[in-house]
Amino acid sequence: QLGGQDTGSVEVQTALLTRKIQQLTDHLQKNPKDFSSKRGLVNTVSLRKKLLKYLKNTNQERYHILIGRLGLKK
């Protein structure tokens, strides 16, 4: 099911959110008073957490592979 044009799977969405989180974190280190970006970061982290929780509850094998690839702590 996972192919080259896949953008809807939990793994791809989580990877994209992880990249966005890294970019926002870098931005906030340079601009610590940018509160709207800080709010966006919190929302993005929350969304990624929900996706990871869903994947963990539905398919633990894919969950462990994903957090290993992305280098996340769980």
Side-chain angles (χ1 to χ4, degrees), residues 5-22:
Q5 297 296 319
D6 178 28
T7 57
S9 71
V10 177
E11 290 93 336
V12 173
Q13 288 183 45
T14 305
L16 292 173
L17 288 173
T18 300
R19 181 176 168 102
K20 185 174 180 180
I21 289 168
Q22 291 169 345

Side-chain angles (χ1 to χ4, degrees), residues 47-58:
L47 180 57
R48 182 179 70 178
K49 183 177 177 183
K50 289 177 190 177
L51 286 172
L52 286 169
K53 183 178 178 184
Y54 166 78
L55 187 60
K56 186 175 183 181
N57 290 335
T58 57

Side-chain angles (χ1 to χ4, degrees), residues 6 15-16 18 37-38 42 53 60 63:
D6 178 28
L16 292 173
T18 300
S37 290
K38 187 179 250 184
V42 171
K53 183 178 178 184
Q60 286 196 353
Y63 168 79

